[in-house]
Amino acid sequence: MLMDDVESVMFTPEEIQKKVAELGKKISSDYDGKEIIVVGILKGAAVFTTDLIRSISRPVRLDFMIASSYGNGATSSGNVKIKKDLEVDIKGKDVLICEDIIDTGITMSNLLKVLKTREPASLKLCAMLSKPSRRQAEVNIDYCGFEVPDEFLVGYGLDYAENYRNLPCIGILKRSVYEK
Ligand code: IMP
Ligand code: MG
């Protein structure tokens, strides 16, 4: 059973859905009269993104990217590898990036720099989770679900070695799973 590997539940499905609804409401009011290009960052944010768009009451266009950082990207902006790029041209558009968790912030700070060069009308970030104590690169999170402590979390899209993404809750993974 997947839940056997979970030390404790941090957020129940109900708590998550309540937060998603709150975020969607805030986003809907901030983007009044606008169309939003929602960009989910695969794979982690797939679950969150598809839930979030259903709580946004504005016209939405959905796209996805796969990005990963390599090396310590604290200094340059060239350390992000885009494995799957956008299909839409974001020039002049209102873009909302949707991410599962901002940890060191390295991937996202680099990705935002790259996307800014494409001249969107606006570029904002919505993250389900943030681990502020781990931050190495500054990232402004416009819409943040929950701030979390430095624990390894799984579920609701978050994985450990590609597992646990389908857990409906967010939980702390037992150390014995990754320390064996
Ligand atoms: P960073 O902010 O560049 O360090 O990278 C963030 C990425 O690391 C996220 O998109 C996740 O894929 C992954 N990550 C960070 N913390 C966790 C966690 O607690 N559980 C699962 N994945 C995590
Ligand atoms: Mg990710």
Side-chain angles (χ1 to χ4, degrees), residues 7 151-152 160 164 173-180:
E7 183 74 53
E151 300 276 6
F152 198 86
Y160 171 68
Y164 312 103
L173 187 65
K174 279 186 183 162
R175 283 187 174 272
S176 57
V177 176
Y178 54 92
E179 283 178 351
K180 67 185 168 200

Side-chain angles (χ1 to χ4, degrees), residues 36-127:
I36 317 169
I37 312 280
V38 173
V39 176
I41 308 300
L42 297 175
K43 302 175 200 169
V47 177
F48 174 47
T49 305
T50 50
D51 267 356
L52 183 69
I53 57 168
R54 281 174 283 179
S55 68
I56 297 176
S57 56
R58 299 280 164 249
V60 158
R61 280 211 248 166
L62 180 62
D63 206 342
F64 293 98
M65 289 183 93
I66 303 180
S68 61
S69 55
Y70 43 92
N72 188 316
T75 49
S76 86
S77 61
N79 312 51
V80 67
K81 185 171 188 302
I82 296 175
K83 290 194 205 156
K84 185 223 171 287
D85 208 337
L86 294 173
E87 287 175 359
V88 294
D89 180 5
I90 59 169
K91 188 167 181 170
K93 307 283 188 189
D94 293 296
V95 178
L96 179 65
I97 307 295
C98 197
E99 179 59 305
D100 51 359
I101 183 165
I102 307 296
D103 186 36
T104 64
I106 291 171
T107 315
M108 190 48 66
S109 69
N110 286 327
L111 184 62
L112 289 173
K113 278 181 208 161
V114 171
L115 292 176
K116 262 180 209 149
T117 67
R118 300 183 188 179
E119 301 172 12
S122 69
L123 182 61
K124 285 191 181 185
L125 172 64
C126 177

